[in-house]
């Protein structure tokens, strides 16, 4: 029976303070989610989505996979409704599932919302299986910018579809026959924005072990800037479901040994679930793990640990630093979410909350789609939309949007 043999890494990167990405690997399912939203929002959104996927997964059909993603969307919305400080959080989600009826999986189903990606390794490189739901993808498709320009576009992190935004979400689905020997890559934009596809492909060809390939990809993303959280899963389709040892050896959850990872790299622990064991080549006793629930982060070795000497002076200094950091984080979060502007979502004009281009880890979100197509605007109006003038209230931004609507009176079909 076909199953996944996967290696994975989720790393904070070199710039961000926290890791808002989450991942899940089960015997027949791999998922990457890239959360967004201030406070703890991004982290919570991606983790809620991952937990929901793990809980709902039955593996019976591609339609079920889509339904699982829609359920995950509901869970994220419910959580945001329950905790007001999480309002506005969202997450991307890309899932590769092996689905099939009684005789075991025969089909690979790829479901996607947002700009995390699934790739298939082919002879001459990487075939991207998903279409990004992002502002820059819309601009590329409408011919306004090139692929190369998209890679450095200041608004490349704006997603136009995400879980947690609306009670209904469109999920892209692709199905293909499951073939033993194929290698898939799932990743957040922290990898695809830093590492060019030909380089990713060469790494995937060079390292036979999925875990080594994943670690090398994350290392490259950090080496090239590490400006965002980096998460990737390298998943091979293998034929031996009972080849436990072989699969387990591939599942090294952190990128041990790559510079800049250290305690930032999340270690995933198992509570229940699939039959995965990590070989005990260290002194650690073997323990079962489930990849997807971040219960702890790796700690520095205790061998060399000596308690620092504390004085009232160092305590006061530390306290002052903490206050400054908290004020800065709170202020940044408030600033990042306090603005409104009118921009482009795919081909359509939309109302965004947040700052154009985002602030640090906080990306703007689409609050309302307008029925107006960007291409139908006059050049003058296009220029006004391109300017992404910021407003301090939603009303002002709506007024600006209505001004465009006056000259392009049309109703939603
Ligand atoms: Mg990201």
């Amino acid at each position: 029976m076909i199953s996944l043999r996967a290696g994975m890494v989720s790393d904070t990167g070199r710039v961000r303070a926290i890791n808002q990405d989450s991942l899940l690997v089960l015997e027949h399912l791999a998922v990457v989610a890239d959360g967004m939203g201030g406070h703890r929002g991004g982290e919570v959104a991606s983790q809620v989505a991952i937990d929901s996927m793990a809980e709902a997964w039955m593996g019976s059909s591609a339609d079920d996979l889509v339904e699982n993603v829609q359920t995950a969307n509901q869970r994220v919305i419910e959580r945001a409704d329950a905790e007001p400080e999480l309002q506005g959080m969202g997450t991307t989600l890309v899932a590769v599932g092996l689905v099939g009826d009684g005789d075991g999986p025969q089909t690979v189903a790829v479901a996607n919302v947002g700009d995390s990606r699934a790739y298939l390794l082919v002879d001459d490189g990487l075939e991207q299986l998903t279409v990004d739901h992002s502002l820059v993808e819309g601009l590329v498709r409408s011919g306004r910018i090139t692929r190369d320009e998209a890679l450095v576009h200041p608004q490349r992190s704006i997603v136009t579809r995400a879980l947690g935004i609306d009670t209904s979400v469109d999920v892209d689905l692709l199905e293909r026959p499951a073939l033993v020997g194929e290698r898939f890559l799932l990743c957040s934009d922290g990898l695809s924005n830093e590492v060019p596809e030909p380089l990713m492909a060469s790494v995937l060809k060079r390292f036979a072990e999925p875990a080594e390939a994943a670690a090398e990809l994350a290392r490259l993303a950090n080496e090239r800037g590490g400006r965002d959280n980096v998460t990737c899963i390298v998943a091979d389709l293998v034929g031996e479901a009972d080849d436990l040892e072989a699969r387990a050896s591939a599942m090294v959850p952190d990128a041990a040994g790559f510079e800049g990872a250290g305690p930032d790299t999340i270690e995933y622990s198992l509570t229940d679930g699939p039959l995965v064991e990590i070989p005990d080549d260290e002194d650690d006793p073997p323990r079962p793990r489930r990849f997807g629930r971040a219960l702890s982060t790796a700690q520095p070795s205790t061998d060399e640990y000596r308690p620092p000497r504390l004085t009232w002076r160092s305590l006061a200094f530390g306290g002052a630093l903490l206050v400054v950091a908290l004020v800065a984080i709170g202020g940044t979060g408030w600033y990042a979410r306090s603005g409104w502007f009118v921009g482009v979502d795919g081909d359509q004009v939309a109302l965004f909350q947040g700052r154009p281009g985002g602030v640090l880890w906080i990306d703007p979100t689409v609050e309302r789609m307008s029925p107006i197509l960007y291409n139908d605007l006059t050049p003058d109006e296009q220029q006004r939309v391109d300017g992404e003038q910021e407003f301090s209230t939603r009303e002002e931004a709506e007024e600006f949007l209505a001004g465009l609507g006056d000259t392009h009176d049309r109703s939603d079909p």
Side-chain angles (χ1 to χ4, degrees):
M1 193 165 74
I2 294 185
S3 62
L4 295 177
R5 178 171 189 256
M8 67 226 67
V9 167
S10 187
D11 187 72
T12 307
R14 288 181 176 268
V15 174
R16 305 288 172 101
I18 45 173
N19 190 352
Q20 298 189 313
D21 291 354
S22 297
L23 61 77
L24 171 74
V25 172
L26 304 176
E27 192 180 1
H28 294 142
L29 178 68
V31 188
V32 165
D34 178 350
M36 60 207 81
H39 305 285
R40 293 154 36 242
E43 284 172 275
V44 174
S46 66
Q47 193 62 53
V48 166
I50 288 288
D51 287 346
S52 173
M53 292 297 289
E55 199 177 304
W57 172 248
M58 302 287 282
S60 42
S61 74
D63 289 343
D64 286 346
L65 180 64
V66 170
E67 211 170 282
N68 294 165
V69 177
Q70 284 161 340
T71 303
N73 178 53
Q74 292 296 337
R75 296 285 171 273
V76 175
I77 290 173
E78 285 161 15
R79 183 67 181 273
D81 286 347
E83 291 183 53
E85 76 270 19
L86 298 177
Q87 279 288 325
M89 70 177 179
T91 183
T92 73
L93 188 146
V94 62
V96 169
L98 294 174
V99 296
D101 42 34
D103 300 331
Q106 305 96 28
T107 303
V108 177
V110 182
N112 180 50
V113 176
D115 67 351
S116 299
R117 292 180 177 176
Y119 291 98
L120 173 67
L121 182 65
V122 293
D123 284 345
D124 53 354
L126 280 177
E127 184 187 334
Q128 190 179 332
L129 300 174
T130 50
V131 174
D132 293 350
H133 305 128
S134 68
L135 179 75
V136 290
E137 182 66 24
L139 295 176
V140 169
R141 289 188 173 235
S142 63
R144 293 179 57 221
I145 61 171
T146 65
R147 283 264 163 234
D148 285 345
E149 285 167 341
L151 285 173
V152 293
H153 196 280
Q155 289 165 329
R156 62 185 178 278
S157 58
I158 296 184
V159 295
T160 51
R161 239 194 260 178
L163 304 189
I165 308 301
D166 200 337
T167 47
S168 82
V169 64
D170 284 336
V171 181
D172 285 357
L173 175 69
L174 176 127
E175 292 176 76
R176 43 178 298 119
L179 301 174
V180 169
E182 287 192 323
R183 169 166 279 192
F184 293 84
L185 168 67
L186 290 81
C187 66
S188 61
D189 64 341
L191 178 68
S192 52
N193 279 338
E194 299 287 14
V195 184
E197 286 172 12
L199 184 52
M200 290 199 262
S202 78
V203 169
L204 291 174
K205 284 179 180 166
R206 192 145 44 93
F207 291 90
E209 280 298 318
E212 287 175 15
E216 176 64 6
L217 289 171
R219 191 192 66 76
L220 285 171
N222 278 315
E223 186 181 88
R224 301 170 78 91
R227 278 158 286 199
D228 194 1
N229 307 144
V230 184
T231 298
C232 58
I233 300 173
V234 176
D236 293 342
L237 298 197
V238 294
E240 304 289 306
D242 53 354
D243 189 2
L244 190 61
E245 202 176 323
R247 270 195 306 124
S249 73
M251 290 194 167
V252 177
D254 56 22
F258 77 78
E259 272 180 28
D264 287 349
T265 301
I266 289 178
E267 185 179 308
Y268 294 89
S269 305
L270 177 67
T271 48
D272 57 353
L275 50 153
V276 176
E277 256 180 30
I278 301 295
D280 52 339
D281 45 1
E282 301 279 315
D283 292 329
D284 297 323
R287 53 190 167 137
R289 294 169 175 205
R290 165 156 136 201
F291 300 91
R293 196 180 297 272
L295 294 179
S296 62
T297 51
Q299 293 298 317
S301 158
T302 49
D303 295 348
E304 297 149 28
Y305 180 77
R306 272 187 222 101
R309 289 200 307 160
L310 283 181
T311 62
W312 70 269
R313 206 185 283 271
S314 63
L315 278 175
F317 182 68
L321 274 186
L322 185 65
V323 168
V324 168
L326 287 175
V327 168
I329 290 169
T332 305
W334 174 85
Y335 171 78
R337 296 295 299 162
S338 64
W340 295 84
F341 67 97
V342 172
V344 182
D345 174 17
D347 301 332
Q348 274 170 283
V349 177
L351 182 72
F352 289 84
Q353 183 178 12
R355 301 284 168 177
V359 178
L360 296 180
W361 63 93
I362 305 167
D363 295 329
T365 50
V366 174
E367 288 303 306
R368 187 169 79 75
M369 296 295 299
S370 94
I372 304 169
L373 291 175
Y374 180 87
N375 283 338
D376 288 345
L377 295 175
T378 65
D380 179 52
E381 288 172 327
Q382 290 187 346
Q383 213 167 12
R384 286 168 62 202
V385 171
D386 291 343
E388 294 185 321
Q389 185 189 344
E390 292 181 54
F391 300 97
S392 49
T393 66
R394 179 175 186 143
E395 287 66 34
E396 287 168 336
E398 290 276 11
E399 211 169 288
F400 176 90
L401 187 56
L404 301 172
D406 281 347
T407 45
H408 296 272
D409 191 22
R410 68 174 71 73
S411 47
D412 227 335

